[in-house]
Amino acid sequence: MFPTTYTDIVKRIETVDPISYGKTRNYIDGDVSYLSPYISRGVISTRQVMEITLERGFQTSEIQKFLQELAWRDYWQLIWLSKGAQIFEDLRHPQPQVQHHDVPSALINANTGIEAIDTAIEEFYQTGYLHNHVRMYIASIACNIGKAHWWAPSQWMYYHLLDGDLASNSLSWQWVAGSNSNKKYFANQENINKYCNTHQSGTFLDVPYEAFNDFDIPERLISTVSFHKETPLPTSDTLALNTEVPTLLYSYYNLDPKWREDADANRILILEPSLFKQFPVSKSCIDFTLKLGENIPGLQVFVGEFDDFIASYSPNEIYYKEHPTNSHFEGHEDTRDWMFDVKGYYPSFFKFWNLAKKELKQLEA
Ligand SMILES: Cc1cc2nc3c(=O)[nH]c(=O)nc-3n(C[C@H](O)[C@H](O)[C@H](O)COP(=O)(O)OP(=O)(O)OC[C@H]3O[C@@H](n4cnc5c(N)ncnc54)[C@H](O)[C@@H]3O)c2cc1C
């Protein structure tokens, strides 16, 4: 489902159907792009996807939905940059009606009794991917129906997602759970049937929307488990470092083969155990990362903290790309590609988007 060679990845950008995307993206079998694992791992950028798509001759007005969804990624990233670790706590309001801090077992075991959700979770364990609408359904079932605080279930999802992105993930969970939005998101069985092509009835979600105003946790969601996982990190390569040339540091969030590609440099993928202890990911995520790293010639893997790398190898000049997970790195910081010049914290996406749209108009002019 997710090829890892750079050629295949660029081909995937070139074959997105951004017009059909606008009409079908909410359906589980809609024309979505499946680009997120590559954007999250920093192989490609949102700007690159926008530019390649516009070069294919589409007008911004006809592919606005696609550009807008891409912009959500940058929007969440900008909030992470502005708010730092606050995004890992209730950002704007305390989440209402929290009854526990665990994960409903029925989600982990793909046993909610809701066919579309259970099938999607089973596939998720195989592929590391979930459709956006299904992510929203799952978060709503966990937090708004099952009354879990969003943090533990979000970590369960992040652990398995090949496209795990701490900003998109934490802030989307909070958007659904009402701690980063003005109301909680609910979907009933009829909505799930419509977008997932099922015809199920009689589930705990088979109710009119008014019923959610006063809803007890259904029997299926009573049992919960705490979520504790470890990341199966690989072992470090035996590094061969040329101290005469600069060292480029790649990370879980930057695997861009085009970044300083002509430089004569050491290329090191640094996997810091402290990051993966705080935010664990599955073996599939690590394997996927290492495969994507094969697009970068001569990339060597160092598993350890930044300070230990410096102390052990005394590298010459260090270069890295700006990212919140690298804020403690020292050296030359390169900027990353953003879609727009709009920067900073906007409490509402649409305030951000209205400014971004002005830049889009200029692009077309
Ligand atoms: C509860 C929840 C958790 C999420 N966790 C993550 C996560 O850890 N990592 C992640 O990359 N996305 C996350 N998302 C956002 C979104 O679901 C995925 O980016 C999208 O489903 C990826 O599939 P795609 O590439 O086929 O997306 P498409 O629909 O084809 O969209 C194209 C690109 O636009 C961006 N995008 C689209 N929708 C969103 C969105 N709602 N928020 C941010 N960016 C978006 C992505 O970069 C995506 O690759 C989450 C959403 C929810 C509701």
Side-chain angles (χ1 to χ4, degrees):
M1 188 167 184
F2 293 106
T4 53
T5 67
Y6 193 68
T7 323
D8 284 334
I9 296 167
V10 173
K11 209 177 288 162
R12 183 164 287 197
I13 307 178
E14 290 165 350
T15 48
V16 168
D17 183 339
I19 294 182
S20 172
Y21 177 87
K23 297 181 188 130
T24 64
R25 71 181 187 92
N26 280 328
Y27 292 87
I28 195 165
D29 54 356
D31 263 328
V32 295
S33 70
Y34 300 103
L35 287 173
S36 54
Y38 310 116
I39 300 174
S40 292
R41 299 287 66 80
V43 180
I44 53 173
S45 67
T46 47
R47 182 165 191 98
Q48 191 179 358
V49 175
M50 174 172 79
E51 284 177 352
I52 293 181
T53 310
L54 289 174
E55 275 161 22
R56 290 166 61 202
F58 297 108
Q59 299 299 304
T60 55
S61 52
E62 60 186 350
I63 61 166
Q64 178 150 317
K65 199 70 214 165
F66 183 59
L67 298 176
Q68 195 179 72
E69 291 305 314
L70 270 177
W72 271 98
R73 160 84 62 160
D74 282 10
Y75 172 69
W76 294 138
Q77 286 288 317
L78 286 168
I79 296 186
W80 192 6
L81 272 179
S82 302
K83 300 284 175 186
Q86 287 176 51
I87 70 164
F88 305 128
E89 290 166 13
D90 291 8
L91 189 64
R92 287 168 56 192
H93 333 274
Q95 179 185 330
Q97 298 176 325
V98 172
Q99 291 199 10
H100 64 89
H101 288 259
D102 294 329
V103 189
S105 314
L107 284 175
I108 293 198
N109 299 331
N111 185 25
T112 62
I114 298 167
E115 219 176 276
I117 302 298
D118 294 343
T119 308
I121 294 173
E122 273 162 17
E123 285 173 11
F124 177 41
Y125 290 144
Q126 303 301 315
T127 62
Y129 179 84
L130 279 170
H131 185 279
N132 180 61
H133 221 155
V134 176
R135 296 183 205 208
M136 290 167 66
Y137 295 147
I138 289 176
S140 179
I141 290 172
C143 302
N144 303 342
I145 306 291
K147 302 191 180 165
H149 184 262
W150 62 271
W151 176 249
S154 79
Q155 286 297 284
W156 159 73
M157 191 182 274
Y158 179 80
Y159 177 84
H160 293 285
L161 281 172
L162 293 187
D163 68 19
D165 171 327
L166 287 166
S168 290
N169 193 58
S170 300
L171 293 166
S172 299
W173 273 83
Q174 295 208 49
W175 184 88
V176 171
S179 56
N180 184 32
S181 56
N182 293 327
K183 60 177 174 50
K184 288 168 168 277
Y185 167 83
F186 285 99
N188 66 7
Q189 185 65 48
E190 189 186 354
N191 181 294
I192 295 177
N193 284 343
K194 173 173 173 191
Y195 290 105
C196 300
N197 307 321
T198 50
H199 301 92
Q200 216 185 346
S201 56
T203 68
F204 59 78
L205 288 181
D206 193 13
V207 294
Y209 279 94
E210 305 78 75
F212 293 130
N213 295 335
D214 180 21
F215 205 69
D216 290 335
I217 302 179
E219 192 60 37
R220 281 269 187 172
L221 302 183
I222 296 272
S223 157
T224 62
V225 281
S226 57
F227 184 73
H228 295 291
K229 286 277 187 193
E230 290 188 6
T231 307
L233 285 170
T235 45
S236 287
D237 292 334
T238 310
L239 301 193
L241 224 71
N242 176 356
T243 48
E244 306 284 296
V245 299
T247 294
L248 307 189
L249 289 185
Y250 296 79
S251 71
Y252 193 59
Y253 283 89
N254 171 23
L255 289 166
D256 176 3
K258 295 287 163 196
W259 174 52
R260 292 185 176 267
E261 69 173 330
D262 297 329
D264 181 11
N266 304 297
R267 294 171 196 279
I268 308 292
L269 167 59
I270 180 164
L271 299 173
E272 292 190 294
S274 55
L275 177 72
F276 293 99
K277 188 169 192 318
Q278 198 182 356
F279 307 109
V281 302
S282 68
K283 182 170 186 308
S284 303
C285 295
I286 293 294
D287 290 346
F288 182 65
T289 300
L290 296 176
K291 284 303 280 179
L292 291 171
E294 290 175 11
N295 292 303
I296 301 165
L299 187 73
Q300 305 177 69
V301 179
F302 175 76
V303 180
E305 303 301 320
F306 176 79
D307 288 348
D308 297 336
F309 175 68
I310 302 297
S312 307
Y313 293 97
S314 311
N316 188 349
E317 282 172 290
I318 296 277
Y319 287 82
Y320 59 92
K321 265 204 210 187
E322 175 279 311
H323 193 269
T325 54
N326 298 342
S327 57
H328 57 297
F329 285 12
E330 285 172 21
H332 300 271
E333 184 175 88
D334 284 347
T335 53
R336 55 174 140 156
D337 280 347
W338 298 95
M339 291 172 74
F340 306 106
D341 291 335
V342 191
K343 297 285 161 0
Y345 173 66
Y346 294 86
S348 128
F349 172 79
F350 286 94
K351 286 210 174 95
F352 166 80
W353 177 247
N354 284 338
L355 293 171
K357 264 201 320 209
K358 290 189 185 143
E359 288 184 42
L360 269 185
K361 281 214 179 81
Q362 282 161 10
L363 267 181
E364 220 162 39

